[in-house]
Amino acid sequence: MAEKTRTPNPRYKPKKTQKKPQSHWFRNTIVMIFIACSFVLFCLLGYFDYNVRQKFEGKRWAIPARVYANPVELFAGQNLTPESFLELLQHLNYRQDKQLKSEGSYLVEDQQIMLRTRAFDFWDQREFSKLLTVNFGETGITSIVNPVDEEVAIVRMDPVQIGSFYPAIKEDRILIKLEETPDILIKGLLASEDRDFYNHIGISFRGIARALMADLKAGGMVQGGSTITQQLAKNFYLTSERRVWRKIREILMALILEFRYSKHEILEAYLNEIYLGQDGASAVHGFGLASEFYFGASLRDLNLEQLATLVALVRGPSQYDPRRYPDRTLERRNLVLEEMANEQYITLKQADQAKQKPLLIMPRSRLAKNRYPGFLDLVKRQLKQEYHEKDLTSDGLRIFTTLDTQIQDALQKTLDAKIKQLEKSSRAKNLETAVVVTRRDSGEIAALASGREETASGFNRALDALRPIGSLVKPAVYLTALQYPNKYTITTRVSDSDITVNLPNGTTWSPKNYDHREHGNVSLMTALAKSFNLATVRIGLDVGVARTAKTLKEMGISREIDVFPSLLLGASSLTPIEVTQMYQTLAGDGFLTPIRAIRAVVADGGKQLQSYPFVVRQAVDPSATYLVNTMLQEVMHNGTGHSVYDEFPKDYGIVGKTGTTNDAKDSWFAGYTGDYLSVVWLGRDDNQPIGLTGSTGALPVWTALMKQISRQPVTLIPPENISTALVDPSNGLLANKACRGAKEFPYLTGSVPTAYSTCGQAVIEQDKNWFEDLFSE
């Protein structure tokens, strides 16, 4: 049967398949969003990866420079009391320990102090740890012996850290290497903070779940969910804000760290980066510094319970601050010990024994607090001549200085007591001061005070206070004159009488003596000893003001000096440290030794970058300097400085000079003993009169200080071209032994007087001083 063919209905139009453009648009949008997000994520990961690598592979930390005092050397015969030595050990953070098990420990028994010194890398060599017994007697150290009773000639102690130069962000750390870190510390961290550290990829889902369960059981936060890698990412790159975006960045950076670096590198960075406390304005980072901060000991010397305490701080240094919340810290430490036992890193017995031990935290931080800001200011200024600021605050330099902390402490105590005393006994109020102390033989600065109160932000008067120096300039005038031995000797007679000097501007200058009296013809020695202004001016005008200014330059003054007649009486202004340099040349017998505060600079790796060797050169005639020093000894015996011998033995040979400026606005004293030179200035910052002379103000301060620190008298050694002669001091002529009052005086060869005194009778031919003819009216 044939199939029928259907005739299409002309009215029928088949339906066309309808497209769904909305469905395609949605799918395309999703794809585009996915591509955009992938691109953003890719860029974000690239950005994070760049930041992670740049910091992790570059210079990770800005390590502040550490500044050390001059190391103390111990030897038999040293004048050091047990009390002073114990004070030094406290500065060095040594701990009492009957067994002397670790470095930096000591034990006191009667007149003995037994100690185990610390090993220390100095600029010139490494000092190894030693077990020693220091025996004391009435005069100081009698002997130093080792465990086999052999005498030790000299011991160099590790130096006191006196400060640091910090970068803008005040973070401090002592870098440690993973292989040098106590194994028990690593195990404590793994047990407490990240048990899966060596298995996860930067984040641990198992760790997060375990922490949540532990927190729920304890009803509070007892475990953290962040891995060590996440903690490193947070501390190293991010802030501590609690936001989702910060947590996402932490996770991404942790993944990148794990991808880029080994577990060894991550763990070592963590040990040095983790924040563990606050030392004033400075943040304590890393376990190396935290060990010193809390226990005053190196990390390698800590025991189990101390290491567990440091691990306990990781969870929150403020919350578990052992000085503020010891009970809370103890509880957290014991939990760390339990976790270590649970992981079988230690036995239960070890954990129980450690839990019974007290915290033994140092009662206060003993890290360097920049206790001597005036001296540190000087150190930094000297360093800036050779180093950039960034190098000083971020390269971990070790700077060894010349400061003696015991002298510096004695200086500050002396100023506190003496200034209060001076303000009570006189009309002086609001006194300020500056003091510089150097070692006479080397020019090294042993101590420096920038004011009566040492503050980091204060005005450093020792370096910056420009004040007229008054009679402190006079030794330069006499030193200049004595270089002309055919005209001037120590006993040459000069006129101390009124004088008027015509000045270039048409005015006149008429100086006066301090007592407003004239004293007739006097010897050079008397004129300087009594600080007579009129005689000094006559001498200075004769040899030339410019020549005196040249002598000041030769003595170490680099500042421009105004060549006016008033220079002869100290109208020119200098800073205390410049005066110190001037008198250092006198103390050096005419040889210029630049005063210095730094001995060496050592890089973080131990390489010596800079040394500051002893430098000396002849600046002025040693023979003339010897004569001036002899005259300055007379100043102290029979002149303006005689009160010093109320405290010192008469044969101590002190060399010094007082100085007072107009209206008693400044009180100065500069002088030296056999071992130290000190310059003292007293005055007011507003330049008002203080009513104190050099003798009544600065000298008592100098005397009180030097009595504590000086152990050597002055012995002046005459040069070969100096000879002595017996002279009648009343006229400067030769005398014999029968001449009453005759004294031995030193002279340059060829300048000894030739005429003889009649000793007690009128001199046959009275010496007529040529100055009188020159200035007679």
Side-chain angles (χ1 to χ4, degrees):
M1 183 174 168
E3 185 177 345
K4 292 183 179 178
T5 302
R6 296 184 66 179
T7 303
N9 186 346
R11 294 182 180 178
Y12 174 76
K13 294 182 180 180
K15 292 182 180 180
K16 295 181 180 180
T17 304
Q18 297 291 323
K19 293 183 179 181
K20 298 181 180 180
Q22 187 173 2
S23 174
H24 281 281
W25 176 85
F26 181 75
R27 186 167 59 248
N28 291 341
T29 301
I30 294 297
V31 170
M32 291 300 293
I33 290 174
F34 176 78
I35 292 172
C37 290
S38 300
F39 178 76
V40 170
L41 180 62
F42 177 79
C43 292
L44 195 61
L45 287 172
Y47 173 73
F48 286 157
D49 180 64
Y50 171 78
N51 283 338
V52 166
R53 286 187 295 112
Q54 186 181 48
K55 189 167 183 179
F56 205 88
E57 295 172 8
K59 185 176 179 181
R60 297 180 187 174
W61 298 286
I63 308 298
R66 288 183 168 79
V67 188
Y68 296 94
N70 194 51
V72 172
E73 294 182 337
L74 308 177
F75 52 89
Q78 184 177 8
N79 191 347
L80 182 69
T81 65
E83 293 76 19
S84 296
F85 187 47
L86 287 173
E87 186 177 348
L88 171 65
L89 293 178
Q90 289 172 2
H91 279 312
L92 290 169
N93 300 330
Y94 276 55
R95 306 171 312 285
Q96 290 201 56
D97 180 0
K98 292 182 179 180
Q99 298 179 340
L100 299 178
K101 291 187 299 184
S102 60
E103 295 179 12
S105 57
Y106 71 96
L107 174 64
V108 181
E109 286 188 358
D110 298 326
Q111 289 295 93
Q112 291 183 333
I113 297 179
M114 290 163 278
L115 69 154
R116 186 182 292 275
T117 64
R118 289 197 188 102
F120 193 87
D121 291 315
F122 287 92
W123 65 93
D124 53 353
Q125 66 181 37
R126 178 175 176 80
E127 290 286 339
F128 295 96
S129 176
K130 299 181 180 71
L131 190 61
L132 302 167
T133 298
V134 183
N135 297 300
F136 292 87
E138 292 182 1
T139 58
I141 296 177
T142 57
S143 66
I144 305 172
V145 295
N146 61 21
V148 294
D149 213 28
E150 296 174 336
E151 292 221 5
V152 179
I154 192 166
V155 176
R156 181 158 64 167
M157 300 289 293
D158 47 310
V160 176
Q161 185 182 340
I162 58 174
S164 299
F165 296 143
Y166 290 98
I169 300 175
K170 288 196 172 182
E171 293 182 358
D172 200 2
R173 52 178 54 79
I174 295 175
L175 297 183
I176 57 175
K177 294 184 179 298
L178 183 60
E179 54 269 23
E180 298 171 355
T181 305
D183 185 58
I184 204 70
L185 174 65
I186 303 299
K187 290 176 177 177
L189 281 171
L190 296 178
S192 176
E193 298 298 319
D194 194 350
R195 298 174 192 175
D196 301 323
F197 175 70
Y198 284 103
N199 300 315
H200 62 61
I201 59 171
I203 57 174
S204 173
F205 298 105
R206 210 169 97 189
I208 293 171
R210 185 173 58 245
L212 285 172
M213 291 297 294
D215 290 348
L216 288 171
K217 287 180 181 178
M221 184 176 175
V222 295
Q223 285 191 18
S226 294
T227 64
I228 282 177
T229 314
Q230 285 177 265
Q231 292 181 47
L232 175 62
K234 181 182 72 173
N235 282 275
F236 208 40
Y237 300 102
L238 305 170
T239 65
S240 58
E241 62 179 346
R242 293 179 177 272
R243 293 187 180 181
V244 175
W245 172 235
R246 204 274 299 158
K247 193 67 177 178
I248 293 172
R249 285 186 293 168
E250 175 190 305
I251 292 171
L252 292 175
M253 285 184 164
L255 294 171
I256 293 169
L257 281 168
E258 290 279 350
F259 178 75
R260 290 284 185 186
Y261 307 105
S262 67
K263 293 288 186 179
H264 180 287
E265 291 173 297
I266 291 171
L267 188 54
E268 184 172 279
Y270 177 84
L271 292 170
N272 288 300
E273 173 59 27
I274 190 69
Y275 171 67
L276 292 171
Q278 196 72 26
D279 183 19
S282 174
V284 176
H285 283 259
F287 287 95
L289 184 60
S291 173
E292 300 279 357
F293 180 62
Y294 291 109
F295 298 107
S298 173
L299 193 62
R300 66 176 180 270
D301 292 329
L302 300 190
N303 54 35
L304 171 60
E305 59 269 17
Q306 290 171 321
L307 292 170
T309 301
L310 294 182
V311 173
L313 297 175
V314 172
R315 192 58 55 86
S318 298
Q319 182 181 1
Y320 296 107
D321 184 339
R323 294 189 179 96
R324 297 180 62 193
Y325 310 112
D327 293 339
R328 192 183 295 174
T329 309
L330 191 65
E331 183 181 354
R332 175 66 193 159
R333 183 203 69 178
N334 292 343
L335 179 59
V336 171
L337 290 167
E338 289 174 9
E339 290 173 330
M340 293 175 70
N342 292 337
E343 293 297 312
Q344 298 184 346
Y345 291 139
I346 59 175
T347 65
L348 286 173
K349 182 179 179 181
Q350 286 177 310
D352 289 338
Q353 289 176 343
K355 286 161 70 173
Q356 302 306 313
K357 301 290 180 64
L359 289 176
L360 295 179
I361 300 294
M362 289 194 308
R364 59 185 177 85
S365 167
R366 293 186 186 272
L367 297 184
K369 288 287 193 180
N370 292 4
R371 291 181 297 146
Y372 311 117
F375 179 80
L376 288 171
D377 181 27
L378 171 62
V379 170
K380 196 166 189 179
R381 293 192 199 190
Q382 291 187 352
L383 287 170
K384 280 185 175 180
Q385 297 174 14
E386 296 163 346
Y387 297 92
H388 297 295
E389 177 78 17
K390 184 180 178 182
D391 299 329
L392 291 179
T393 59
S394 63
D395 283 354
L397 301 180
R398 293 190 301 147
I399 301 155
F400 295 93
T401 74
T402 61
L403 185 80
D404 186 318
T405 56
Q406 292 178 313
I407 293 179
Q408 181 70 44
D409 290 341
L411 169 58
Q412 203 59 55
K413 290 176 183 176
T414 300
L415 291 176
D416 290 343
K418 295 302 292 184
I419 291 180
K420 289 177 183 176
Q421 182 181 332
L422 288 170
E423 288 182 332
K424 285 182 180 179
S425 61
S426 69
R427 60 188 179 91
K429 296 293 182 254
N430 301 318
L431 282 178
E432 269 301 345
T433 187
V435 182
V436 182
V437 183
T438 65
R439 297 179 180 89
R440 181 195 170 193
D441 60 349
S442 65
E444 294 178 335
I445 296 176
L448 181 147
S450 60
R452 65 188 295 177
E453 293 181 1
E454 290 276 309
T455 57
S457 59
F459 176 53
N460 196 328
R461 296 166 187 82
L463 309 184
D464 300 322
L466 266 174
R467 306 294 290 230
I469 64 172
S471 295
L472 292 193
V473 78
K474 289 177 181 175
V477 178
Y478 289 80
L479 180 59
T480 305
L482 288 166
Q483 294 180 65
Y484 299 92
N486 294 330
K487 183 178 290 188
Y488 290 105
T489 70
I490 198 169
T491 55
T492 298
R493 312 287 288 181
V494 294
S495 175
D496 185 66
S497 57
D498 284 339
I499 180 173
T500 298
V501 181
N502 295 320
L503 301 177
N505 61 4
T507 61
T508 60
W509 178 53
S510 300
K512 299 293 180 184
N513 281 325
Y514 183 76
D515 60 3
H516 296 278
R517 294 169 54 194
E518 301 172 82
H519 303 94
N521 287 346
V522 295
S523 67
L524 259 70
M525 177 174 276
T526 300
L528 182 57
K530 302 296 184 181
S531 202
F532 291 157
N533 292 338
L534 300 175
T536 302
V537 170
R538 289 178 180 275
I539 296 169
L541 290 175
D542 178 50
V543 298
V545 179
R547 184 65 188 85
T548 299
K550 184 173 182 291
T551 299
L552 286 170
K553 291 282 187 180
E554 291 169 345
M555 295 174 76
I557 302 302
S558 57
R559 183 182 300 277
E560 286 299 318
I561 298 172
D562 294 328
V563 185
F564 295 119
S566 57
L567 166 67
L568 302 172
L569 298 183
S572 291
S573 295
L574 297 176
T575 63
I577 201 164
E578 289 174 324
V579 173
T580 305
Q581 181 65 76
M582 171 184 165
Y583 274 79
Q584 186 70 43
T585 303
L586 291 175
D589 301 319
F591 288 84
L592 176 64
T593 304
I595 57 177
R596 59 195 177 118
I598 306 169
R599 301 190 71 177
V601 178
V602 178
D604 188 34
K607 179 182 177 182
Q608 182 170 323
L609 301 179
Q610 190 77 27
S611 63
Y612 296 80
F614 178 68
V615 177
V616 62
R617 64 176 176 83
Q618 184 176 331
V620 291
D621 181 15
S623 301
T625 305
Y626 174 80
L627 296 176
V628 169
N629 282 333
T630 302
M631 296 163 71
L632 291 174
Q633 285 183 324
E634 181 69 8
V635 170
M636 305 309 293
H637 273 293
N638 298 304
T640 56
H642 67 89
S643 64
V644 76
Y645 285 109
D646 293 339
E647 302 293 338
F648 280 88
K650 300 295 183 185
D651 60 351
Y652 215 72
I654 296 170
V655 177
K657 184 71 187 77
T658 57
T660 310
T661 59
N662 289 341
D663 301 322
K665 293 179 179 179
D666 302 275
S667 171
W668 288 92
F669 184 80
Y672 66 87
T673 60
D675 40 10
Y676 294 105
L677 161 70
S678 296
V679 173
V680 177
W681 167 82
L682 291 174
R684 285 176 50 142
D685 287 341
D686 60 8
N687 205 30
Q688 292 298 307
I690 61 173
L692 296 171
T693 65
S695 300
T696 60
L699 178 57
V701 174
W702 186 95
T703 303
L705 172 65
M706 296 297 273
K707 187 180 177 183
Q708 298 174 69
I709 68 173
S710 179
R711 298 292 179 266
Q712 296 177 19
V714 178
T715 302
L716 295 179
I717 301 174
E720 292 182 357
N721 61 341
I722 292 289
S723 58
T724 60
L726 195 64
V727 171
D728 182 354
S730 67
N731 52 38
L733 300 180
L734 288 175
N736 55 43
K737 292 183 179 180
C739 186
R740 210 168 171 184
K743 291 177 62 177
E744 291 273 356
F745 289 96
Y747 295 90
L748 277 167
T749 301
S751 66
V752 178
T754 55
Y756 278 84
S757 170
T758 57
C759 287
Q761 302 176 20
V763 178
I764 296 174
E765 186 177 349
Q766 181 72 30
D767 62 315
K768 188 172 179 65
N769 196 295
W770 60 275
F771 279 115
E772 297 180 33
D773 295 332
L774 181 64
F775 294 106
S776 59
E777 297 180 357

